[in-house]
Amino acid sequence: MDNYVPRLKKVYKETIAPELFKELGYTSVMQVPAIKKVVVSMGIGEALTNKKLLDAAVADISQITGQHAVKTRARKSIANFKLREGNEVGVMVTLRGNIMYEFLDRLINVALPRVKDFRGIKATGFDGHGNFSLGITEQIIFPEIDFDKITKIAGMNISIVTSARTDAEAKALLTKFNMPFRK
């Protein structure tokens, strides 16, 4: 297991990085954009009244990503939502290294094509600094989730952090990874 290299990581090193180096006209291989980390998060607003939903969300995200998720707390109180500072209201996990590449592989090649009426991802999720975020409305698109054991269907946010300096470089990188952007 020590010499195992994820498929996407191998593809990046052997084909994607050299292609981007030529296409974008870099002078050093260190300028080629790479994916640094992937952050998967899920906000559970009803967790204020039902704590079991938060535990179920931790189990779901942990099962999807293969890494234990942590509960996140509210940063400030909002009276209209009956929210107090410090209440647990979401879960998140940060993926790096081999686990990150495995998750991206499953997301791009297995989960996204399972979305109902899928026509591609909008390319508006870039933040201006080369990072991309997308929202998924149902966690059941991942094959690891057993549909019968779901307590509540919830959406999730996926943020892909890259070392690209511009959105154009990041889009070129993700397109090479076969991210299904809308044409």
Side-chain angles (χ1 to χ4, degrees):
M1 195 72 186
D2 292 333
N3 57 0
Y4 170 71
V5 178
R7 187 185 70 84
L8 270 188
K9 188 174 186 179
K10 191 183 292 184
V11 168
Y12 173 75
K13 285 185 177 181
E14 293 173 1
T15 60
I16 295 174
E19 286 175 14
L20 285 174
F21 183 79
K22 286 179 189 164
E23 285 178 21
L24 300 174
Y26 291 127
T27 55
S28 169
V29 291
M30 296 304 288
Q31 292 175 301
V32 177
I35 297 175
K36 289 183 182 175
K37 66 181 177 180
V38 175
V39 179
V40 182
S41 61
M42 185 184 288
I44 313 292
E46 295 174 30
L48 297 171
T49 56
N50 188 354
K51 293 291 182 193
K52 288 182 182 177
L53 288 177
L54 204 59
D55 296 331
V58 168
D60 287 349
I61 285 196
S62 297
Q63 193 171 14
I64 289 170
T65 60
Q67 187 170 310
H68 184 68
V70 295
K71 296 175 184 174
T72 57
R73 297 179 178 273
R75 290 191 194 136
K76 63 184 191 179
S77 302
I78 302 172
N80 290 347
F81 299 121
K82 298 185 177 113
L83 180 65
R84 298 288 163 258
E85 184 178 340
N87 287 358
E88 292 177 333
V89 290
V91 293
M92 67 160 294
V93 63
T94 302
L95 306 172
R96 290 183 171 90
N98 290 347
I99 296 175
M100 170 188 72
Y101 283 108
E102 289 292 338
F103 173 76
L104 277 175
D105 201 2
R106 283 194 321 267
L107 174 71
I108 294 168
N109 298 314
V110 179
L112 287 177
R114 290 178 61 163
V115 173
K116 194 185 323 178
D117 297 333
F118 185 67
R119 292 187 182 92
I121 298 172
K122 290 182 185 175
T124 57
F126 290 98
D127 67 349
H129 301 286
N131 304 316
F132 182 70
S133 297
L134 73 130
I136 294 177
T137 53
E138 300 174 335
Q139 82 270 39
I140 56 174
I141 63 169
F142 287 94
E144 296 89 0
I145 299 292
D146 185 10
F147 186 73
D148 298 330
K149 293 179 181 163
I150 292 296
T151 53
K152 184 176 188 300
I153 291 179
M156 58 176 51
N157 303 317
I158 300 172
S159 297
I160 301 170
V161 179
T162 68
S163 62
R165 293 186 304 273
T166 65
D167 289 347
E169 291 176 0
K171 186 171 184 191
L173 172 69
L174 293 176
T175 304
K176 295 279 186 195
F177 274 110
N178 292 331
M179 184 67 83
F181 289 111
R182 211 172 272 175
K183 299 280 189 273

